[in-house]
Amino acid sequence: MVSPTEIILGDLRFKPLIFNAIIMERIRELAKEINEEIGSQKIELLAILDGAEAFAKAIHPFFSFENQLHFMKIKTYDGLHSSASADLDWSELDQLRGKNILILEDIIDSGFTAYKLTESLKKREIGDVRLASLLHKPAQLKYPAKPDFTGFEIGPEFVVGFGMDYREQGRELKDIYRCVDL
Ligand code: IMP
Ligand code: MG
């Protein structure tokens, strides 16, 4: 299917930023980088819902190490802005005690979500905690949550597609689009 050159979600216009073929190619490379780093360790993969579901499902088949994939809901974004609280399901975190973890995120913006999560994991006698994010906005980073593995570094723009949404719209787009109205 041909990708539209412009889409409108609510009050905002978006244009293509990264096409699906490029995303998939990078995901395969990223999996290779991660496989080399992890080696023969057993890893608990923690994909952050809803945004990272597409990334987690795309990269998972390329991992060569023993792993278990978990999904965890954390909601911190309110429309366009990172909100000041992160909603974590604590009971699930307790099951990860003593294990090595790789967090899978869709995008690191301020770094708040990833920072809160890694801090809570580290307090729970967990093994190594690493972070892989499909996208990272280095110019926006305000918390110490630089990903160990990054798919693409982008500017401070707001994006949708490949799991990422604007007010619950745009998640199912196979390409990544950037907002041209902000
Ligand atoms: P942070 O806590 O500020 O790093 O934001 C991380 C979360 O906000 C990500 O997991 C996304 O779900 C969401 N987010 C950040 N930037 C964007 C964006 O450009 N588009 C859609 N969601 C975003
Ligand atoms: Mg997210």
Side-chain angles (χ1 to χ4, degrees):
M1 213 181 79
V2 177
S3 305
T5 53
E6 182 177 290
I7 53 164
I8 296 176
L9 300 176
D11 50 341
L12 299 176
R13 287 177 305 141
F14 293 81
K15 288 194 188 289
L17 179 65
I18 314 171
F19 286 112
N20 186 266
I22 309 291
I23 300 171
M24 295 311 296
E25 190 184 306
R26 179 67 190 123
I27 283 177
R28 274 192 290 275
E29 282 172 14
L30 196 60
K32 239 177 112 186
E33 288 170 30
I34 296 173
N35 288 339
E36 276 164 22
E37 170 78 23
I38 303 280
S40 60
Q41 293 174 57
K42 182 173 187 285
I43 297 288
E44 304 295 316
L45 300 167
L46 198 52
I48 308 307
L49 296 176
D50 296 321
E53 189 177 352
F55 172 47
K57 288 186 171 162
I59 198 165
H60 190 226
F62 299 111
F63 287 148
S64 56
F65 48 87
E66 195 186 334
N67 69 76
Q68 245 192 308
L69 177 58
H70 310 264
F71 291 95
M72 178 186 235
K73 184 111 182 162
I74 306 182
K75 202 161 173 59
T76 42
Y77 238 61
D78 172 21
L80 291 170
H81 305 285
S82 196
S83 75
S85 71
D87 203 2
L88 298 187
D89 185 341
W90 303 102
S91 61
E92 281 187 42
L93 287 190
D94 282 328
Q95 298 171 15
L96 301 173
R97 227 176 261 274
K99 312 254 170 90
N100 292 326
I101 294 181
L102 176 65
I103 300 168
L104 299 174
E105 254 292 32
D106 49 355
I107 184 160
I108 304 296
D109 183 281
S110 72
F112 178 75
T113 314
Y115 171 69
K116 286 298 268 193
L117 178 58
T118 47
E119 285 306 291
S120 358
L121 289 170
K122 283 174 186 163
K123 279 190 213 133
R124 283 173 162 72
E125 298 159 37
I126 295 212
D128 292 336
V129 180
R130 298 182 181 88
L131 171 63
S133 188
L134 179 61
L135 300 181
H136 175 33
K137 304 179 188 173
Q140 296 279 93
L141 198 66
K142 293 184 189 70
Y143 294 85
K146 190 175 177 295
D148 301 288
F149 308 98
T150 300
F152 301 92
E153 289 195 347
I154 61 168
E157 59 249 16
F158 186 79
V159 295
V160 294
F162 211 83
M164 290 165 286
D165 73 302
Y166 171 53
R167 298 192 170 143
E168 296 302 327
Q169 293 185 75
R171 274 194 208 289
E172 69 300 336
L173 294 162
K174 61 185 181 50
D175 308 305
I176 294 173
Y177 286 75
R178 71 183 173 89
C179 180
V180 290
D181 284 328
L182 295 170

